[in-house]
Amino acid sequence: MGVLFSATPAEFRAGVVSRDELNALQANPPAWLTDLRRNGPHPKQVVAAKLGVSISGLARAGITEPLTTAEIEQLKAENPEWLEHERGVQAEARKEAARLKQR
């Protein structure tokens, strides 16, 4: 679902969601799900994707906690050296993966 499980409502965390219920949540998300997707806090895989870095890159930068959309946007605006470096690392990894795939 692309959201931090611990940020979901308690009743959602306490229950079991069937495949049909999950499909319904995806097709017609409730307000809490829409809000979490828009504002966070986001799990690390979403944070990494929004910043254009790897999860390992986040760890190297010391980012281990979930971030909100506002915090992610602030990092993008500040563009610290580590972010620029990790984006370059990610770009090189993608190039290498594409090169290997062509072989």
Side-chain angles (χ1 to χ4, degrees):
M1 289 179 29
V3 297
L4 190 64
F5 184 70
S6 62
T8 61
E11 59 274 6
F12 179 79
R13 289 190 308 261
V16 176
V17 179
S18 70
R19 177 48 100 180
D20 289 338
E21 290 169 325
L22 180 62
N23 289 339
L25 283 171
Q26 298 283 28
N28 190 18
W32 63 263
L33 182 53
T34 301
D35 185 54
L36 274 178
R37 286 179 173 164
R38 183 181 322 111
N39 301 316
H42 301 288
K44 60 186 164 188
Q45 65 269 22
V46 174
V47 173
K50 287 179 178 277
L51 290 173
V53 301
S54 67
I55 293 172
S56 298
L58 289 178
R60 285 189 290 273
I63 297 179
T64 57
E65 298 297 317
L67 298 179
T68 64
T69 300
E71 292 168 326
I72 293 168
E73 292 304 317
Q74 182 179 357
L75 275 172
K76 286 178 173 179
E78 292 172 357
N79 198 27
E81 186 177 320
W82 71 263
L83 180 56
E84 216 171 292
H85 172 76
E86 291 300 337
R87 283 178 171 167
V89 169
Q90 185 72 359
E92 287 300 317
R94 286 185 183 135
K95 281 182 194 175
E96 181 64 10
R99 184 187 70 78
L100 293 174
K101 187 176 180 179
Q102 286 182 343
R103 289 178 94 183

